[in-house]
Amino acid sequence: MAKKIKDIFQFKKFSVKHDRCTHKVGTDGVLLGAWADTQNVTRVLDVGTGSGVIALMLAQRTLPDVSIDAIDISIKDCEQATENINASPWPEKVRIINQAIQTYESEPYDLIVTNPPYFIDSTKPPAEERTRARHTETLSPYELLLHAKRLLSPYGKFCIILPNVEAQSLVSLALKQGWYCTRLCEFRARINKTTERVLFQLQQQKQETVKESLILYEQDEEWTVAYKNLTRDFYVKI
């Protein structure tokens, strides 16, 4: 994976510090940053940016004139994300904004991405900021869908990653709100394991769902060809 040295993740073209972030760099964010469809986008919004890792991945994957806004309610996360952006090759391309999506106003985006809070009913961690990052108290599934639709262009794409149960629940709610699930990828560690994460794309235009699957490991600890192909532009060891 990315090389981790003292709370620094070194990717091929940029590094990410996350020692002061509420939500650390993990496989979920890397998956979403590599999987989200960036074709024909000019404006991107990253909701709950944390360290800024997804915004940076999208900056690497998109044309120079694409603008990326990354919002988060944590001032500490925004401060560290700003440091990461300023140290990257794209300091003029990504803008960090300390604000909740519920009050955020902007021109429409072509692509919105989020690795959102998802522990709806589990025991909450003691730290308030950790709670905000991993639970839905400050951003309910309904609000997430409502404000994403408000900020998305009519033909835009909304890409999300969630655990399997939460993903099914959010897709069901989205369909009731007039969204269409146009792309869906089930991610699991091994072929004989259950689905651990689901990446899915919502749009306001009706289309058939393109279904995919992704497996992390072969029978040993070697990454699958499909996973390497998805992440090879980022992980140092590929």
Side-chain angles (χ1 to χ4, degrees):
M1 291 190 176
K3 188 177 181 182
K4 182 182 179 184
I5 304 175
K6 295 181 179 179
D7 290 316
I8 300 176
F9 275 79
Q10 182 64 53
F11 294 88
K12 284 183 177 178
K13 295 187 178 181
F14 62 91
S15 61
V16 176
K17 294 181 180 179
H18 65 169
D19 56 294
R20 304 196 311 276
C21 287
T22 311
H23 185 26
K24 308 302 182 183
V25 176
T27 303
D28 288 14
V30 175
L31 277 170
L32 183 61
W35 183 84
D37 183 4
T38 60
Q39 186 175 8
N40 299 323
V41 304
T42 58
R43 286 175 48 77
V44 179
L45 177 65
D46 175 19
V47 180
T49 194
S51 65
V53 62
I54 296 173
L56 283 166
M57 292 178 72
L58 296 176
Q60 179 179 323
R61 294 181 56 210
T62 51
L63 296 173
D65 61 346
V66 171
S67 64
I68 300 170
D69 292 334
I71 64 175
D72 204 294
I73 61 173
S74 167
I75 185 63
K76 290 182 180 179
D77 284 31
C78 287
E79 289 172 349
Q80 186 147 62
T82 299
E83 292 177 9
N84 290 329
I85 299 303
N86 290 340
S88 79
W90 313 283
E92 304 300 324
K93 192 174 181 178
V94 182
R95 181 175 63 150
I96 303 297
I97 303 165
N98 181 209
Q99 191 168 347
I101 190 175
Q102 294 97 323
T103 59
Y104 181 65
E105 300 288 344
S106 174
E107 295 297 316
Y109 292 94
D110 309 301
L111 172 64
I112 298 177
V113 298
T114 187
N115 175 15
Y118 57 75
F119 292 125
I120 298 171
D121 297 316
S122 62
T123 301
K124 295 178 176 58
E128 180 181 352
E129 289 189 354
R130 184 70 174 164
T131 299
R132 288 179 179 176
R134 306 310 296 157
H135 295 263
T136 59
E137 286 189 342
T138 57
L139 180 62
S140 70
Y142 176 84
E143 287 180 310
L144 177 62
L145 293 169
L146 177 69
H147 293 287
K149 182 177 284 190
R150 175 176 62 84
L151 292 165
L152 194 66
S153 66
Y155 291 91
K157 295 163 285 193
F158 182 27
C159 295
I160 312 163
I161 184 168
L162 281 170
N164 188 30
V165 172
E166 287 80 0
Q168 291 183 36
S169 177
L170 191 63
V171 169
S172 177
L173 179 61
L175 295 177
K176 294 176 182 177
Q177 290 189 12
W179 291 93
Y180 297 93
C181 182
T182 57
R183 187 173 168 222
L184 186 146
C185 178
E186 295 183 341
F187 174 79
R188 64 195 72 188
R190 301 182 186 278
I191 194 168
N192 60 342
K193 298 293 186 180
T194 59
T195 298
E196 297 176 19
R197 295 290 185 269
V198 178
L199 299 112
F200 54 101
Q201 176 178 284
L202 301 176
Q203 292 182 259
Q204 300 175 59
Q205 305 298 319
K206 187 175 183 179
Q207 299 177 43
E208 293 296 323
T209 305
V210 176
K211 295 185 178 181
E212 311 163 6
S213 63
L214 182 65
I215 299 169
L216 178 58
Y217 293 114
E218 303 282 6
Q219 299 210 356
D220 53 15
E221 294 301 310
E222 179 72 14
W223 288 347
T224 62
V225 172
Y227 187 75
K228 288 180 181 178
N229 287 341
L230 180 67
T231 59
R232 68 171 59 255
D233 289 340
F234 301 101
Y235 283 144
V236 173
K237 80 173 195 177
I238 300 178

